[in-house]
Amino acid sequence: MSTTKIEKKPISFSNILLGAGLNMSEVTTLGQPLEVIKTTMAANRNLTMAQAAKLVWSRGGILGFYQGLIPWAWIEASTKGAVLLFVSAEGEYRLKSLGASPFISGMGGGVLGGLAQAYLTMGFCTCMKTVEITRAKQAKTTGVPQQTSFQVFQEIWKKEGLKGINKGVNAVAIRQMTNWGSRFGFSRLAEDAIRKFSGKGENQKLSNLDKIFASVIGGGLSAWNQPIEVIRVEMQSKTNDPNRPKNLSVWGAFKYIYKNNGIKGLYRGVTPRIGLGVWQTVFMVAFGDIFKKMLNTEGTGH
């Protein structure tokens, strides 16, 4: 059990604006290019990372790496960042106040934040981003002119309604729970290790560089759940494969991928995913802590 003194401050809704701003910055810099490469590899499981990057480049040069950024990634980033930082901070504080360790508190807050992200904001945005990234291949192979993002959205809405644009949301929820539970949990564990090896006391504040280093470790280790991400991409992809079952469930997508690509197929895109995990965790955990301290709102999460 942690003996860290928890000072409760009023719930600060500035965490909502801070989360939105940090996530917008993350996705607009390296976040979306890594997301595009990762998704391309997960959808085209025969490609190496270099081949995936070449394919993305062929879609429009440097702009190909920002496919799906506007509007879907921006909508997703601003909403999911706000939800994540607010919910995870409150969840982490509540668990700490009950005497849970920093690792358990961080993991619990991350799980709650990831779950809230998936069902409140991420379902349709993640689906539309994946459609945006994967549909270019379909247009190229069929010769049919590529639709605009909003034409695709309208088509899915007309055929399948709300369920269609939230396709794969359960896989998104599993991914986000394990993503942010791991990222916050492992980052807090790394912070404890840094304190121990540097001789700092439990209540002594870490430097900004310590926070960033701990987030790099937490983000890298969070890529263990890559099979969930590959399953999510498969469920949301647009494809003409006649052997692919319709209306895939999480389990159905797992069996389809394993049958066609084996265990390696479930880990396609893990390298850019590690990079993306590190980048996202540095922004949302390390920078989140640093800016919450500056805004004097850290009591709601620490």
Side-chain angles (χ1 to χ4, degrees):
M1 293 291 182
S2 173
T3 59
T4 305
K5 183 180 177 182
I6 309 298
E7 179 188 353
K8 179 59 178 172
K9 299 179 182 179
I11 293 175
S12 176
F13 289 98
S14 62
N15 282 344
I16 294 175
L17 295 176
L18 177 60
L22 286 172
N23 221 185
M24 284 284 285
S25 299
E26 174 270 316
V27 76
T28 307
T29 50
L30 283 180
Q32 189 62 10
L34 289 167
E35 175 76 24
V36 170
I37 293 175
K38 176 203 70 176
T39 302
T40 301
M41 291 180 71
N44 305 274
R45 290 179 291 276
N46 60 320
L47 298 180
T48 64
M49 187 170 173
Q51 289 170 334
K54 186 177 180 181
L55 175 61
V56 173
W57 182 268
S58 72
R59 296 174 186 166
I62 193 67
L63 293 179
F65 290 91
Y66 286 91
Q67 213 163 17
L69 178 66
I70 303 171
W72 310 116
W74 273 4
I75 295 171
E76 180 191 84
S78 58
T79 54
K80 79 173 185 179
V83 170
L84 174 69
L85 208 62
F86 182 75
V87 174
S88 65
E90 287 303 310
E92 190 171 1
Y93 166 77
R94 299 295 175 185
L95 287 167
K96 276 190 175 182
S97 67
L98 293 173
S101 69
F103 171 66
I104 297 298
S105 300
M107 181 170 286
V111 166
L112 290 172
L115 189 65
Q117 276 186 332
Y119 288 112
L120 291 178
T121 69
M122 281 189 70
F124 87 93
C125 287
T126 302
C127 181
M128 292 310 301
K129 273 200 314 178
T130 305
V131 168
E132 180 81 6
I133 293 166
T134 60
R135 70 193 172 97
K137 179 188 176 186
Q138 185 186 40
K140 195 172 184 179
T141 56
T142 60
V144 177
Q146 187 168 301
Q147 297 171 297
T148 67
S149 293
F150 287 103
Q151 285 174 330
V152 174
F153 179 86
Q154 290 172 340
E155 182 182 303
I156 296 173
W157 178 266
K158 186 176 179 180
K159 289 181 178 178
E160 303 175 70
L162 187 63
K163 186 177 179 180
I165 61 171
N166 276 285
K167 191 179 293 181
V169 71
N170 291 331
V172 172
I174 295 169
R175 184 194 72 171
Q176 291 307 101
M177 288 170 64
T178 52
N179 267 358
W180 289 108
S182 299
R183 288 169 183 173
F184 276 94
F186 287 141
S187 294
R188 300 308 181 210
L189 202 60
E191 289 174 8
D192 281 349
I194 290 170
R195 283 193 178 93
K196 182 182 292 186
F197 288 111
S198 63
K200 293 181 179 179
E202 188 177 0
N203 295 319
Q204 192 172 349
K205 298 292 184 182
L206 294 176
S207 70
N208 291 347
L209 283 178
D210 288 336
K211 285 276 187 183
I212 292 170
F213 182 63
S215 291
V216 168
I217 295 172
L221 291 176
S222 71
W224 66 267
N225 68 350
Q226 180 64 9
I228 299 169
E229 171 65 358
V230 176
I231 288 168
R232 190 274 304 174
V233 170
E234 187 60 46
M235 291 177 71
Q236 295 179 334
S237 295
K238 291 195 74 174
T239 178
N240 290 320
D241 183 359
N243 298 315
R244 182 178 184 262
K246 295 182 182 291
N247 302 317
L248 285 174
S249 64
V250 173
W251 179 243
F254 171 84
K255 290 193 294 184
Y256 172 74
I257 295 166
Y258 185 78
K259 179 181 178 182
N260 287 278
N261 306 102
I263 195 69
K264 287 179 67 177
L266 292 163
Y267 283 90
R268 297 303 296 167
V270 71
T271 302
R273 175 77 188 287
I274 290 171
L276 181 60
V278 167
W279 194 246
Q280 290 180 333
T281 308
V282 167
F283 269 83
M284 301 310 294
V285 180
F287 290 172
D289 287 351
I290 292 166
F291 282 105
K292 279 190 287 184
K293 183 178 179 182
M294 290 171 59
L295 294 169
N296 202 30
T297 65
E298 63 176 348
T300 61
H302 299 287

